Amino acid sequence: MGTVRTVQITFDCADPERVARFWCEVLGYVAPPGSSGVAMDPAGDGPRLYFQRVPEGKVVKNRVHLDVRVGTGLAGDERLAVLTAESERLTALGATVFRVLHADEENESCIVMQDVEGNEFCLD
């Protein structure tokens, strides 16, 4: 059996401190003292997020994105109401709603959003 490793998720961005603050608010993470551009799960369970400054801007859709799981176990109108309420909270923090995907025969509803620098993520 292989060794279990922890992972860090790294975002390229223009303003690491701003994006880190946004994700701390979204996930209930904290910024460690003396660090800039880092968001960590205070319980130590979730992955560390690191935001690094790069000179180029975002050009195309992300190939990897985060799913923020706020509707787990819910279905139909109840699920969509919870997702919508969370999207409103995140919009107040600077996120934007990109697309609302309604439930079909295979998938439940989710909301595709963008963070303060346009990185896509899903409310799921």
Side-chain angles (χ1 to χ4, degrees):
M1 184 164 137
T3 302
V4 175
R5 300 195 187 335
T6 58
V7 298
Q8 167 177 283
I9 301 169
T10 302
F11 290 73
D12 291 348
C13 58
D15 187 345
E17 294 79 17
R18 178 178 181 230
V19 183
R21 280 192 310 272
F22 171 81
W23 282 103
C24 282
E25 289 292 326
V26 171
L27 300 174
Y29 274 29
V30 295
S35 69
S36 62
V38 174
M40 295 179 64
D41 179 353
D45 297 327
R48 179 180 191 257
L49 305 181
Y50 178 70
F51 303 90
Q52 66 184 4
R53 187 179 317 277
V54 296
E56 69 277 358
K58 182 177 176 305
V59 179
V60 297
K61 181 183 181 301
N62 299 16
R63 294 286 307 246
V64 175
H65 66 269
L66 300 181
D67 284 348
V68 179
R69 311 280 322 270
V70 297
T72 302
L74 302 176
D77 292 341
E78 182 182 19
R79 177 184 175 88
L80 190 56
V82 167
L83 297 177
T84 300
E86 183 66 0
S87 74
E88 291 169 357
R89 181 182 83 86
L90 300 182
T91 299
L93 296 174
T96 56
V97 174
F98 182 71
R99 182 177 357 156
V100 177
L101 300 171
H102 294 278
D104 58 25
E105 296 79 34
E106 296 181 28
N107 300 299
E108 280 294 339
S109 297
C110 74
I111 299 177
V112 181
M113 300 193 71
Q114 294 177 321
D115 73 8
V116 294
E117 285 201 2
N119 298 301
E120 294 90 4
F121 65 98
C122 291
L123 293 181
D124 181 26

